[in-house]
Amino acid sequence: MMRRRFSARELFELRNGIPVDDLIQDHLRMAAKRREGQLRFLCPVCNEFNTATRQATNLARCFRCERNFNTIDLVMIVNGSDFVESVRYLKRLLKEIPRHEDRSGALKQMLQQIGTP
């Protein structure tokens, strides 16, 4: 029997543990470009580039159709999958991405090896 319920913690981690910029560019391969230091992507709803992402909230926004997208929303729309399939996709993806604390530990170790003060 396949599990269909996900805890609030799991969903929070999926919405925030995968950078929305990386998801758009590297995993969903959406049309995107950097302008004025901001990632602009082709909105999957209205097909306009009047969009932006915000790292602080890990959300994407289309100003034309006035929609906000979290990582789950984007996967659902771009891949044409339902909520459960999208969550499972992101759970697999999250396993591939090093956690922030793992990256931080790796950076500290690298700095120690090269002898920085």
Side-chain angles (χ1 to χ4, degrees):
M1 182 171 147
M2 288 202 261
R3 182 172 163 222
R4 295 188 62 84
R5 291 195 169 229
F6 305 99
S7 71
R9 182 181 178 133
E10 285 176 300
L11 296 176
F12 179 85
E13 188 172 325
L14 294 176
R15 288 185 188 114
N16 296 287
I18 300 168
V20 71
D21 286 8
D22 294 349
L23 180 68
I24 289 169
Q25 292 182 290
D26 302 336
H27 303 289
L28 296 177
R29 302 199 187 289
M30 297 169 67
K33 56 188 173 185
R34 289 231 174 248
R35 189 175 357 152
E36 300 171 9
Q38 192 73 17
L39 181 70
R40 309 287 181 192
F41 61 95
L42 189 63
C43 176
V45 175
C46 72
N47 292 315
E48 294 285 333
F49 266 104
N50 191 10
T51 58
T53 60
R54 186 167 180 183
Q55 291 177 343
T57 58
N58 205 43
L59 292 174
R61 169 108 176 133
C62 177
F63 298 101
R64 172 130 185 337
C65 66
E66 299 182 351
R67 295 232 5 217
N68 289 320
F69 305 98
N70 63 41
T71 55
I72 298 170
D73 297 330
L74 285 171
V75 172
M76 287 174 64
I77 294 168
V78 172
N79 288 351
S81 55
D82 67 21
F83 180 79
V84 173
E85 291 170 323
S86 298
V87 167
R88 288 187 180 131
Y89 171 88
L90 290 169
K91 285 177 72 93
R92 287 189 302 273
L93 188 58
L94 191 61
K95 289 178 184 176
E96 299 172 13
I97 298 173
R99 295 205 184 287
H100 177 70
E101 55 271 13
D102 295 342
R103 289 188 302 242
S104 175
L107 179 60
K108 286 178 186 175
Q109 183 179 17
M110 182 181 74
L111 290 173
Q112 288 174 347
Q113 289 174 349
I114 60 174
T116 57

